[in-house]
Amino acid sequence: MSAYPLVDHTYDVVVVGAGGAGLRATLGLAEAGLATACLTKVFPTRSHTVAAQGGISAALGNMGEDDWRFHFYDTGDGGGMVLRAGLPLQDMEFVQFHPTGIYGAGCLITEGVRGEGGFLTNANGDRFMERYAPNAKDLASRDVVSRAMTIEIREGRGVGPEKDHIHLHLEHLGPEVIRERLPGIAESSRIFAGVDVTREPIPVLPTAHYNMGGIPCNYHGEVINPAGGDPDAIVPGLMAVGEAACVSVHGANRLGSNSLLDIVIFGREAARYCAATIKPGAAQAPLRKEVGELAISRLDRLRHANGTRPTAELRLQMQKIMQSDAAVFRTASSLQEGVARLARTIRTLPDIGVRDRSLIWNTDLIETLEFENLLLQAITTMHSALARTESRGAHAREDFPNRDDGAWLKHTLAWVAADGAVRLDYRPVHLATLSDDVQTIAPTARTY
Amino acid sequence: MALLRLPSVFQVQTGIWHRVVSTGARTRRVRIYRFDPDSDRNPRLDTYEIDMAACGPMVLDVLIHIKNEIDSTLTFRRSCREGICGSCAMNIDGVNTLACTKPCADIRGDVRIYPLPHLPVIKDLVPDLTHFYAQYASVMPWLQTRSPAPPDRERLQSKADQEKIDQPSACILCACCSTACPSYWWNSDRYLGPATLLAAYRWIIDSRDEALGARLDALEDPFRLYRCHTIMNCTEACPKDLNPARAIAQIKKLMIERRS
């Protein structure tokens, strides 16, 4: 590939992505004296932990003799990289919807608002959460509140001219509490909804927020790829942390601030584990000659993609499919349709068109690389959700409304072949704690 | 009086006019600075006619609409789209601000969009911030201590001390202020500019930081700090309603206090 002059760099560890977990890992690795490169698409201080785009922070260490890492030469999206390398993603059917995104804009209003006493109402002014969750009410978990809001809207009790959203009230809290404890909320609401939160409610709607699923890994951050009858077999030298990873501490659901665990525990642990297992500057096996060629050829193919379908058009198509067929509520028929429609989108990929051919700040190309990654993950979500014939955590099947621990207390694993074909398998859930200090709690039905 | 004009290679030329097919009632003209680093052509000003009914309300919505529907080569930075990350700072309607929080409805006439002024342009609306980031790093924007950390807890501070750093900590490094400052335009090679000085101030007044003397020493310089002439463009431009001009004045005050 003489068209692309390449410069090789050697590091003890390469961290791909500078989200909170990736940065925490990088800090620990540097402290331990390991030569560390942190690759990021956005300048690191641009507050990823607030501006998170979801699922792009993956850490990658070269701890073993194996050279899996050499397949991962893009700086692209962690989940897409893993799938292209023939590794599985785990539990991709569990997508969290945040209940209170600003209507129209999608910016999130923290549940701290409801923690401070804010509440939701429908078109009749009813505090409807009292019916769905008599004890927790507006503080029920995100999936419960999102489903309740969706039902209220679906049954014609949404607010606004289209009856398609819900009101979030904090007028009664008083300007002092809002200013001191909910900084930013008043500002976001004013800018994006034109609302003065001290006088009127905020229009809100459930908004896709977080992937519980991701790259399966153990509590050290080592990536798992079941092999030879061992459901916990690891991929030597490859680690994942942050939203890209699925350590599955929280299972099929999550609460606000759970992501901080990815930073303060798993970001730190990934660095500690690397420091304990890698010697700074240790000799590394030479790269195979063809290493990196896959990534370069992918870049070259898309950079010169000459088709008739702009990336934005196919991306919008994918977004619409995910919105209509894998939303807050799912059924076999919606998911089957989603599987078929996504397969059609994949078949149109050879006709994708990129117009910017430059190697300087080519966002047309970057968005296309990102779109391919997103599409791979979208099909794992759709297939995994169709197969899981129960409701659990954030995965709500209207045709299978109950949780079924007998059949489904297990992780989904999804592999995607080059032609888009999906293979599913399952691995057991670790339920026992690693410590004798606390008792293992058996799973029970959730009530609010 | 000297006549100043741009060298001919920098002069912005008339660009391409992208017309809408069906002209809706809410059509607006958006004029955008384009620079293609791969060609040796001058920068140009492209014009896009936009049906605002098909597009979100903010300037960033318009840029994304153009990139998605009309011209995928249009290049700009963007990330959080809610005024938190500072990526999409640019010069809109003659004012430096964030495209994601600037409603088109606030602009009369054509929407004119240029990169942040007085920075090298990499491509279209993307300026080179390398020097800006290097200046930020030069003030060592992290906690510096000599005393050992408490073994059993974090380094604590009072609520009153915390409130002192509240505002300066809210800076998102968008560079709107520094690139609105005439002193920075002339002397950015040596003057640190309001964003970096605000960051310096944030650590100077942090009750937990133990490097006050060294931090002030590093700023005691005719250019780094004292090129601020209280023009106040920085405070006027800040999209987060912060007050870099006040922070700079406070640093100058601390300099005088420690001399006396």
PDB file of all heavy atoms in Angstrom, chain B residues 85-117:
ATOM      1  N   CYS B  85     -19.199  20.183  25.525  1.00  0.00           N
ATOM      2  CA  CYS B  85     -17.857  19.710  25.153  1.00  0.00           C
ATOM      3  C   CYS B  85     -16.979  20.805  24.554  1.00  0.00           C
ATOM      4  O   CYS B  85     -15.762  20.708  24.603  1.00  0.00           O
ATOM      5  CB  CYS B  85     -17.950  18.519  24.206  1.00  0.00           C
ATOM      6  SG  CYS B  85     -18.323  18.936  22.486  1.00  0.00           S
ATOM      7  N   GLY B  86     -17.575  21.844  23.978  1.00  0.00           N
ATOM      8  CA  GLY B  86     -16.777  22.942  23.437  1.00  0.00           C
ATOM      9  C   GLY B  86     -16.202  22.703  22.055  1.00  0.00           C
ATOM     10  O   GLY B  86     -15.406  23.489  21.569  1.00  0.00           O
ATOM     11  N   SER B  87     -16.596  21.622  21.392  1.00  0.00           N
ATOM     12  CA  SER B  87     -16.004  21.281  20.094  1.00  0.00           C
ATOM     13  C   SER B  87     -16.419  22.229  18.974  1.00  0.00           C
ATOM     14  O   SER B  87     -15.630  22.540  18.101  1.00  0.00           O
ATOM     15  CB  SER B  87     -16.391  19.854  19.685  1.00  0.00           C
ATOM     16  OG  SER B  87     -15.926  18.914  20.606  1.00  0.00           O
ATOM     17  N   CYS B  88     -17.702  22.645  18.955  1.00  0.00           N
ATOM     18  CA  CYS B  88     -18.252  23.304  17.763  1.00  0.00           C
ATOM     19  C   CYS B  88     -18.178  24.828  17.834  1.00  0.00           C
ATOM     20  O   CYS B  88     -19.017  25.519  17.269  1.00  0.00           O
ATOM     21  CB  CYS B  88     -19.678  22.837  17.496  1.00  0.00           C
ATOM     22  SG  CYS B  88     -20.858  23.328  18.770  1.00  0.00           S
ATOM     23  N   ALA B  89     -17.125  25.353  18.515  1.00  0.00           N
ATOM     24  CA  ALA B  89     -16.948  26.803  18.555  1.00  0.00           C
ATOM     25  C   ALA B  89     -16.601  27.314  17.170  1.00  0.00           C
ATOM     26  O   ALA B  89     -15.762  26.737  16.483  1.00  0.00           O
ATOM     27  CB  ALA B  89     -15.838  27.160  19.541  1.00  0.00           C
ATOM     28  N   MET B  90     -17.263  28.379  16.747  1.00  0.00           N
ATOM     29  CA  MET B  90     -16.971  29.002  15.457  1.00  0.00           C
ATOM     30  C   MET B  90     -17.488  30.430  15.461  1.00  0.00           C
ATOM     31  O   MET B  90     -18.106  30.868  16.441  1.00  0.00           O
ATOM     32  CB  MET B  90     -17.565  28.170  14.311  1.00  0.00           C
ATOM     33  CG  MET B  90     -18.992  27.774  14.471  1.00  0.00           C
ATOM     34  SD  MET B  90     -19.536  26.550  13.233  1.00  0.00           S
ATOM     35  CE  MET B  90     -18.854  25.015  13.843  1.00  0.00           C
ATOM     36  N   ASN B  91     -17.213  31.170  14.393  1.00  0.00           N
ATOM     37  CA  ASN B  91     -17.655  32.558  14.320  1.00  0.00           C
ATOM     38  C   ASN B  91     -18.960  32.620  13.539  1.00  0.00           C
ATOM     39  O   ASN B  91     -18.989  32.381  12.334  1.00  0.00           O
ATOM     40  CB  ASN B  91     -16.567  33.417  13.665  1.00  0.00           C
ATOM     41  CG  ASN B  91     -16.923  34.884  13.704  1.00  0.00           C
ATOM     42  OD1 ASN B  91     -17.739  35.350  12.906  1.00  0.00           O
ATOM     43  ND2 ASN B  91     -16.338  35.621  14.623  1.00  0.00           N
ATOM     44  N   ILE B  92     -20.043  32.928  14.261  1.00  0.00           N
ATOM     45  CA  ILE B  92     -21.375  32.908  13.670  1.00  0.00           C
ATOM     46  C   ILE B  92     -21.972  34.307  13.762  1.00  0.00           C
ATOM     47  O   ILE B  92     -22.018  34.874  14.863  1.00  0.00           O
ATOM     48  CB  ILE B  92     -22.284  31.897  14.418  1.00  0.00           C
ATOM     49  CG1 ILE B  92     -21.684  30.488  14.335  1.00  0.00           C
ATOM     50  CG2 ILE B  92     -23.708  31.923  13.858  1.00  0.00           C
ATOM     51  CD1 ILE B  92     -22.286  29.511  15.307  1.00  0.00           C
ATOM     52  N   ASP B  93     -22.380  34.857  12.636  1.00  0.00           N
ATOM     53  CA  ASP B  93     -22.968  36.188  12.621  1.00  0.00           C
ATOM     54  C   ASP B  93     -22.009  37.206  13.261  1.00  0.00           C
ATOM     55  O   ASP B  93     -22.430  38.098  13.998  1.00  0.00           O
ATOM     56  CB  ASP B  93     -24.312  36.150  13.380  1.00  0.00           C
ATOM     57  CG  ASP B  93     -25.147  37.398  13.135  1.00  0.00           C
ATOM     58  OD1 ASP B  93     -24.976  38.020  12.071  1.00  0.00           O
ATOM     59  OD2 ASP B  93     -25.961  37.763  14.011  1.00  0.00           O
ATOM     60  N   GLY B  94     -20.703  36.989  13.037  1.00  0.00           N
ATOM     61  CA  GLY B  94     -19.704  37.929  13.542  1.00  0.00           C
ATOM     62  C   GLY B  94     -19.304  37.738  14.989  1.00  0.00           C
ATOM     63  O   GLY B  94     -18.514  38.517  15.522  1.00  0.00           O
ATOM     64  N   VAL B  95     -19.845  36.710  15.651  1.00  0.00           N
ATOM     65  CA  VAL B  95     -19.565  36.502  17.071  1.00  0.00           C
ATOM     66  C   VAL B  95     -19.064  35.074  17.285  1.00  0.00           C
ATOM     67  O   VAL B  95     -19.629  34.130  16.730  1.00  0.00           O
ATOM     68  CB  VAL B  95     -20.849  36.735  17.913  1.00  0.00           C
ATOM     69  CG1 VAL B  95     -20.590  36.437  19.381  1.00  0.00           C
ATOM     70  CG2 VAL B  95     -21.359  38.156  17.725  1.00  0.00           C
ATOM     71  N   ASN B  96     -18.017  34.932  18.115  1.00  0.00           N
ATOM     72  CA  ASN B  96     -17.554  33.583  18.449  1.00  0.00           C
ATOM     73  C   ASN B  96     -18.530  32.935  19.422  1.00  0.00           C
ATOM     74  O   ASN B  96     -18.808  33.479  20.486  1.00  0.00           O
ATOM     75  CB  ASN B  96     -16.182  33.634  19.133  1.00  0.00           C
ATOM     76  CG  ASN B  96     -15.107  34.165  18.227  1.00  0.00           C
ATOM     77  OD1 ASN B  96     -15.318  34.295  17.018  1.00  0.00           O
ATOM     78  ND2 ASN B  96     -13.950  34.464  18.792  1.00  0.00           N
ATOM     79  N   THR B  97     -19.011  31.749  19.079  1.00  0.00           N
ATOM     80  CA  THR B  97     -19.918  31.054  19.986  1.00  0.00           C
ATOM     81  C   THR B  97     -20.005  29.586  19.598  1.00  0.00           C
ATOM     82  O   THR B  97     -19.338  29.131  18.671  1.00  0.00           O
ATOM     83  CB  THR B  97     -21.319  31.722  19.998  1.00  0.00           C
ATOM     84  OG1 THR B  97     -22.072  31.216  21.098  1.00  0.00           O
ATOM     85  CG2 THR B  97     -22.059  31.454  18.696  1.00  0.00           C
ATOM     86  N   LEU B  98     -20.810  28.816  20.349  1.00  0.00           N
ATOM     87  CA  LEU B  98     -20.993  27.403  20.056  1.00  0.00           C
ATOM     88  C   LEU B  98     -22.155  27.230  19.079  1.00  0.00           C
ATOM     89  O   LEU B  98     -23.259  27.723  19.337  1.00  0.00           O
ATOM     90  CB  LEU B  98     -21.291  26.620  21.339  1.00  0.00           C
ATOM     91  CG  LEU B  98     -20.229  26.692  22.431  1.00  0.00           C
ATOM     92  CD1 LEU B  98     -20.723  25.982  23.696  1.00  0.00           C
ATOM     93  CD2 LEU B  98     -18.922  26.070  21.956  1.00  0.00           C
ATOM     94  N   ALA B  99     -21.920  26.508  17.994  1.00  0.00           N
ATOM     95  CA  ALA B  99     -22.977  26.312  17.003  1.00  0.00           C
ATOM     96  C   ALA B  99     -24.168  25.559  17.602  1.00  0.00           C
ATOM     97  O   ALA B  99     -25.308  25.768  17.206  1.00  0.00           O
ATOM     98  CB  ALA B  99     -22.429  25.545  15.799  1.00  0.00           C
ATOM     99  N   CYS B 100     -23.898  24.697  18.602  1.00  0.00           N
ATOM    100  CA  CYS B 100     -24.976  23.832  19.120  1.00  0.00           C
ATOM    101  C   CYS B 100     -25.960  24.577  20.006  1.00  0.00           C
ATOM    102  O   CYS B 100     -27.073  24.103  20.221  1.00  0.00           O
ATOM    103  CB  CYS B 100     -24.400  22.635  19.860  1.00  0.00           C
ATOM    104  SG  CYS B 100     -23.489  23.052  21.351  1.00  0.00           S
ATOM    105  N   THR B 101     -25.549  25.726  20.567  1.00  0.00           N
ATOM    106  CA  THR B 101     -26.469  26.455  21.441  1.00  0.00           C
ATOM    107  C   THR B 101     -26.899  27.795  20.836  1.00  0.00           C
ATOM    108  O   THR B 101     -27.533  28.600  21.504  1.00  0.00           O
ATOM    109  CB  THR B 101     -25.848  26.709  22.834  1.00  0.00           C
ATOM    110  OG1 THR B 101     -24.593  27.374  22.668  1.00  0.00           O
ATOM    111  CG2 THR B 101     -25.619  25.404  23.577  1.00  0.00           C
ATOM    112  N   LYS B 102     -26.559  28.019  19.581  1.00  0.00           N
ATOM    113  CA  LYS B 102     -26.903  29.291  18.926  1.00  0.00           C
ATOM    114  C   LYS B 102     -28.126  29.085  18.021  1.00  0.00           C
ATOM    115  O   LYS B 102     -28.025  28.453  16.962  1.00  0.00           O
ATOM    116  CB  LYS B 102     -25.708  29.770  18.087  1.00  0.00           C
ATOM    117  CG  LYS B 102     -25.946  31.063  17.326  1.00  0.00           C
ATOM    118  CD  LYS B 102     -25.961  32.245  18.268  1.00  0.00           C
ATOM    119  CE  LYS B 102     -26.111  33.557  17.508  1.00  0.00           C
ATOM    120  NZ  LYS B 102     -26.216  34.693  18.438  1.00  0.00           N
ATOM    121  N   PRO B 103     -29.294  29.613  18.417  1.00  0.00           N
ATOM    122  CA  PRO B 103     -30.474  29.447  17.567  1.00  0.00           C
ATOM    123  C   PRO B 103     -30.365  30.329  16.319  1.00  0.00           C
ATOM    124  O   PRO B 103     -29.985  31.492  16.406  1.00  0.00           O
ATOM    125  CB  PRO B 103     -31.641  29.932  18.451  1.00  0.00           C
ATOM    126  CG  PRO B 103     -31.071  30.100  19.828  1.00  0.00           C
ATOM    127  CD  PRO B 103     -29.601  30.340  19.660  1.00  0.00           C
ATOM    128  N   CYS B 104     -30.729  29.752  15.172  1.00  0.00           N
ATOM    129  CA  CYS B 104     -30.731  30.540  13.934  1.00  0.00           C
ATOM    130  C   CYS B 104     -31.707  31.712  14.042  1.00  0.00           C
ATOM    131  O   CYS B 104     -31.514  32.753  13.419  1.00  0.00           O
ATOM    132  CB  CYS B 104     -31.127  29.662  12.747  1.00  0.00           C
ATOM    133  SG  CYS B 104     -29.913  28.405  12.372  1.00  0.00           S
ATOM    134  N   ALA B 105     -32.754  31.511  14.855  1.00  0.00           N
ATOM    135  CA  ALA B 105     -33.778  32.551  14.989  1.00  0.00           C
ATOM    136  C   ALA B 105     -33.209  33.832  15.594  1.00  0.00           C
ATOM    137  O   ALA B 105     -33.805  34.906  15.454  1.00  0.00           O
ATOM    138  CB  ALA B 105     -34.936  32.029  15.843  1.00  0.00           C
ATOM    139  N   ASP B 106     -32.047  33.728  16.282  1.00  0.00           N
ATOM    140  CA  ASP B 106     -31.438  34.918  16.872  1.00  0.00           C
ATOM    141  C   ASP B 106     -30.661  35.751  15.857  1.00  0.00           C
ATOM    142  O   ASP B 106     -30.115  36.792  16.196  1.00  0.00           O
ATOM    143  CB  ASP B 106     -30.459  34.518  17.989  1.00  0.00           C
ATOM    144  CG  ASP B 106     -31.188  34.074  19.244  1.00  0.00           C
ATOM    145  OD1 ASP B 106     -32.432  34.018  19.215  1.00  0.00           O
ATOM    146  OD2 ASP B 106     -30.511  33.768  20.247  1.00  0.00           O
ATOM    147  N   ILE B 107     -30.573  35.250  14.626  1.00  0.00           N
ATOM    148  CA  ILE B 107     -29.747  35.914  13.618  1.00  0.00           C
ATOM    149  C   ILE B 107     -30.640  36.569  12.572  1.00  0.00           C
ATOM    150  O   ILE B 107     -31.548  35.935  12.037  1.00  0.00           O
ATOM    151  CB  ILE B 107     -28.804  34.894  12.938  1.00  0.00           C
ATOM    152  CG1 ILE B 107     -27.884  34.261  13.989  1.00  0.00           C
ATOM    153  CG2 ILE B 107     -27.997  35.558  11.824  1.00  0.00           C
ATOM    154  CD1 ILE B 107     -27.172  33.022  13.517  1.00  0.00           C
ATOM    155  N   ARG B 108     -30.379  37.844  12.281  1.00  0.00           N
ATOM    156  CA  ARG B 108     -31.125  38.538  11.227  1.00  0.00           C
ATOM    157  C   ARG B 108     -30.406  38.359   9.893  1.00  0.00           C
ATOM    158  O   ARG B 108     -29.185  38.376   9.847  1.00  0.00           O
ATOM    159  CB  ARG B 108     -31.195  40.046  11.521  1.00  0.00           C
ATOM    160  CG  ARG B 108     -32.155  40.420  12.612  1.00  0.00           C
ATOM    161  CD  ARG B 108     -31.824  41.839  13.091  1.00  0.00           C
ATOM    162  NE  ARG B 108     -32.727  42.236  14.159  1.00  0.00           N
ATOM    163  CZ  ARG B 108     -33.898  42.859  13.958  1.00  0.00           C
ATOM    164  NH1 ARG B 108     -34.275  43.172  12.735  1.00  0.00           N
ATOM    165  NH2 ARG B 108     -34.669  43.173  14.968  1.00  0.00           N
ATOM    166  N   GLY B 109     -31.156  38.195   8.855  1.00  0.00           N
ATOM    167  CA  GLY B 109     -30.559  38.093   7.524  1.00  0.00           C
ATOM    168  C   GLY B 109     -29.848  36.769   7.328  1.00  0.00           C
ATOM    169  O   GLY B 109     -30.177  35.770   7.968  1.00  0.00           O
ATOM    170  N   ASP B 110     -28.856  36.770   6.423  1.00  0.00           N
ATOM    171  CA  ASP B 110     -28.124  35.541   6.148  1.00  0.00           C
ATOM    172  C   ASP B 110     -27.359  35.071   7.387  1.00  0.00           C
ATOM    173  O   ASP B 110     -26.854  35.889   8.153  1.00  0.00           O
ATOM    174  CB  ASP B 110     -27.117  35.768   5.013  1.00  0.00           C
ATOM    175  CG  ASP B 110     -27.811  36.046   3.690  1.00  0.00           C
ATOM    176  OD1 ASP B 110     -29.056  35.938   3.645  1.00  0.00           O
ATOM    177  OD2 ASP B 110     -27.107  36.381   2.719  1.00  0.00           O
ATOM    178  N   VAL B 111     -27.256  33.743   7.539  1.00  0.00           N
ATOM    179  CA  VAL B 111     -26.444  33.176   8.615  1.00  0.00           C
ATOM    180  C   VAL B 111     -25.029  33.017   8.076  1.00  0.00           C
ATOM    181  O   VAL B 111     -24.792  32.237   7.146  1.00  0.00           O
ATOM    182  CB  VAL B 111     -27.007  31.807   9.055  1.00  0.00           C
ATOM    183  CG1 VAL B 111     -26.139  31.209  10.164  1.00  0.00           C
ATOM    184  CG2 VAL B 111     -28.460  31.944   9.509  1.00  0.00           C
ATOM    185  N   ARG B 112     -24.089  33.781   8.618  1.00  0.00           N
ATOM    186  CA  ARG B 112     -22.716  33.749   8.132  1.00  0.00           C
ATOM    187  C   ARG B 112     -21.838  32.971   9.110  1.00  0.00           C
ATOM    188  O   ARG B 112     -21.815  33.278  10.300  1.00  0.00           O
ATOM    189  CB  ARG B 112     -22.182  35.173   7.963  1.00  0.00           C
ATOM    190  CG  ARG B 112     -22.874  35.945   6.824  1.00  0.00           C
ATOM    191  CD  ARG B 112     -22.550  37.434   6.915  1.00  0.00           C
ATOM    192  NE  ARG B 112     -23.005  37.998   8.181  1.00  0.00           N
ATOM    193  CZ  ARG B 112     -22.256  38.769   8.966  1.00  0.00           C
ATOM    194  NH1 ARG B 112     -21.041  39.086   8.611  1.00  0.00           N
ATOM    195  NH2 ARG B 112     -22.739  39.231  10.101  1.00  0.00           N
ATOM    196  N   ILE B 113     -21.156  31.959   8.618  1.00  0.00           N
ATOM    197  CA  ILE B 113     -20.380  31.080   9.494  1.00  0.00           C
ATOM    198  C   ILE B 113     -18.931  30.995   9.013  1.00  0.00           C
ATOM    199  O   ILE B 113     -18.655  30.594   7.874  1.00  0.00           O
ATOM    200  CB  ILE B 113     -20.989  29.658   9.540  1.00  0.00           C
ATOM    201  CG1 ILE B 113     -22.489  29.730   9.843  1.00  0.00           C
ATOM    202  CG2 ILE B 113     -20.263  28.815  10.570  1.00  0.00           C
ATOM    203  CD1 ILE B 113     -23.191  28.384   9.758  1.00  0.00           C
ATOM    204  N   TYR B 114     -18.018  31.383   9.918  1.00  0.00           N
ATOM    205  CA  TYR B 114     -16.584  31.330   9.649  1.00  0.00           C
ATOM    206  C   TYR B 114     -15.898  30.532  10.763  1.00  0.00           C
ATOM    207  O   TYR B 114     -16.456  30.370  11.837  1.00  0.00           O
ATOM    208  CB  TYR B 114     -15.987  32.750   9.633  1.00  0.00           C
ATOM    209  CG  TYR B 114     -16.347  33.577   8.431  1.00  0.00           C
ATOM    210  CD1 TYR B 114     -17.594  34.190   8.342  1.00  0.00           C
ATOM    211  CD2 TYR B 114     -15.439  33.773   7.397  1.00  0.00           C
ATOM    212  CE1 TYR B 114     -17.929  34.966   7.235  1.00  0.00           C
ATOM    213  CE2 TYR B 114     -15.766  34.548   6.292  1.00  0.00           C
ATOM    214  CZ  TYR B 114     -17.012  35.148   6.210  1.00  0.00           C
ATOM    215  OH  TYR B 114     -17.337  35.905   5.132  1.00  0.00           O
ATOM    216  N   PRO B 115     -14.663  30.058  10.508  1.00  0.00           N
ATOM    217  CA  PRO B 115     -13.922  29.445  11.621  1.00  0.00           C
ATOM    218  C   PRO B 115     -13.580  30.495  12.673  1.00  0.00           C
ATOM    219  O   PRO B 115     -13.641  31.697  12.389  1.00  0.00           O
ATOM    220  CB  PRO B 115     -12.655  28.892  10.959  1.00  0.00           C
ATOM    221  CG  PRO B 115     -12.604  29.420   9.582  1.00  0.00           C
ATOM    222  CD  PRO B 115     -13.918  30.048   9.243  1.00  0.00           C
ATOM    223  N   LEU B 116     -13.193  30.062  13.871  1.00  0.00           N
ATOM    224  CA  LEU B 116     -12.729  30.994  14.898  1.00  0.00           C
ATOM    225  C   LEU B 116     -11.623  31.857  14.307  1.00  0.00           C
ATOM    226  O   LEU B 116     -10.742  31.350  13.594  1.00  0.00           O
ATOM    227  CB  LEU B 116     -12.177  30.236  16.107  1.00  0.00           C
ATOM    228  CG  LEU B 116     -13.203  29.533  17.002  1.00  0.00           C
ATOM    229  CD1 LEU B 116     -12.474  28.733  18.087  1.00  0.00           C
ATOM    230  CD2 LEU B 116     -14.190  30.506  17.622  1.00  0.00           C
ATOM    231  N   PRO B 117     -11.658  33.178  14.567  1.00  0.00           N
ATOM    232  CA  PRO B 117     -10.698  34.067  13.904  1.00  0.00           C
ATOM    233  C   PRO B 117      -9.268  33.902  14.419  1.00  0.00           C
ATOM    234  O   PRO B 117      -9.040  33.471  15.543  1.00  0.00           O
ATOM    235  CB  PRO B 117     -11.233  35.457  14.211  1.00  0.00           C
ATOM    236  CG  PRO B 117     -12.188  35.305  15.324  1.00  0.00           C
ATOM    237  CD  PRO B 117     -12.660  33.894  15.357  1.00  0.00           C
TER     238      PRO B 117
END
